[in-house]
């Protein structure tokens, strides 16, 4: 993971101050695929977060703080597979998965492809009021989520067998895949 952050603070007067902060985080992962030795799963993600806030002191007992922020997270995760037309369940998609039954490890790649992107817009306003030894906080927080995702867990297809005997006989219990030509992108 690579991480960075920058912050700028500005005091305009005794009653007004401002700050802005930018954070970025890049990550990558490569791990061994338990279901498909020799074909590791890999992924990359990036998070970016921008915040700006202004504080205004009306009186020694009354403070107002306004904050706006924008956050973007993006991730892509992929499990490679064999690209051999003789081994594919769905033409052009690569080898899918085979589940031989309970107590037997599945064969084939894991989740073939997941794309996730989220934009989050936030605005908030808080009022802090102090009276004697008591303090009250009033405010609002509004979030707008905009999510883009493409989960394609059945892109390559997969056979499931009830038990090892049916697997060895070539009698599948179930075949699942997305419908050819499907658009799995959502937002």
């Amino acid at each position: 993971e690579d991480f960075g952050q920058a912050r700028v603070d500005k005091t305009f007067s005794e009653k007004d101050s401002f700050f802005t902060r930018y954070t970025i985080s890049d990550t990558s992962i490569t791990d061994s695929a338990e279901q498909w030795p020799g074909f590791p799963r890999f992924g990359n993600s990036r998070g970016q977060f921008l915040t700006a806030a202004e504080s205004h002191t009306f009186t020694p007992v009354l403070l107002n703080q306004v904050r706006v922020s924008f956050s973007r997270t993006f991730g892509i995760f992929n499990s490679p597979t064999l690209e051999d037309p003789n081994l594919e369940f769905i033409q052009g998609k690569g080898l899918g998965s085979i589940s031989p039954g309970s107590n037997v490890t599945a064969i084939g790649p894991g989740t073939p492809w997941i794309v996730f992107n989220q934009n989050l817009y936030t605005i908030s306003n808080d009022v802090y009021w102090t009276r004697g030894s008591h303090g009250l906080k009033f405010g609002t927080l509004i979030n707008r989520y905009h999510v883009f995702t493409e989960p394609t867990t059945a892109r390559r297809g997969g056979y499931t067998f009830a038990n090892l005997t049916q697997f060895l006989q070539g009698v599948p219990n179930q075949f699942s895949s997305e419908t050819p030509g499907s658009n799995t992108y959502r937002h």
Side-chain angles (χ1 to χ4, degrees):
E1 178 174 8
D2 296 318
F3 175 88
Q5 186 173 68
R7 178 176 168 139
V8 175
D9 290 273
K10 175 71 175 163
T11 301
F12 295 105
S13 69
E14 188 177 284
K15 294 187 175 199
D16 287 299
S17 63
F18 172 85
F19 86 84
T20 185
R21 177 180 60 228
Y22 174 73
T23 306
I24 187 168
S25 176
D26 287 335
T27 61
S28 63
I29 184 172
T30 301
D31 65 3
S32 60
E34 294 177 13
Q35 295 179 343
W36 197 241
F39 289 85
R41 183 179 62 175
F42 62 90
N44 296 300
S45 66
R46 169 174 273 190
Q48 297 181 83
F49 313 95
L50 178 64
T51 301
E54 192 270 337
S55 297
H56 180 77
T57 304
F58 289 99
T59 68
V61 298
L62 187 62
L63 169 71
N64 187 69
Q65 186 175 56
V66 176
R67 180 177 293 137
V68 294
S69 66
F70 172 72
S71 302
R72 170 175 281 173
T73 53
F74 174 80
I76 184 168
F77 303 93
N78 189 16
S79 292
T81 188
L82 294 175
E83 302 290 340
D84 183 342
N86 297 314
L87 299 174
E88 296 175 339
F89 304 147
I90 300 172
Q91 185 178 2
K93 302 293 183 179
L95 177 65
S97 64
I98 301 168
S99 298
S102 61
N103 300 323
V104 180
T105 303
I107 302 165
T111 303
W113 181 262
I114 295 177
V115 175
F116 179 81
N117 183 18
Q118 175 178 274
N119 294 335
L120 172 59
Y121 306 88
T122 301
I123 185 167
S124 67
N125 187 57
D126 294 312
V127 177
Y128 302 90
W129 180 50
T130 306
R131 182 159 180 131
S133 62
H134 302 284
L136 295 173
K137 176 183 172 184
F138 304 91
T140 186
L141 171 68
I142 299 169
N143 290 318
R144 164 91 165 67
Y145 292 89
H146 196 193
V147 178
F148 307 87
T149 186
E150 186 179 10
T152 57
T153 57
R155 175 177 277 178
R156 297 176 180 143
Y159 282 100
T160 304
F161 296 85
N163 53 49
L164 187 56
T165 302
Q166 285 190 348
F167 170 69
L168 294 173
Q169 293 173 349
V171 181
N173 187 27
Q174 176 182 324
F175 176 75
S176 61
S177 75
E178 63 186 38
T179 305
S182 293
N183 180 359
T184 60
Y185 180 76
R186 301 288 181 263
H187 70 91

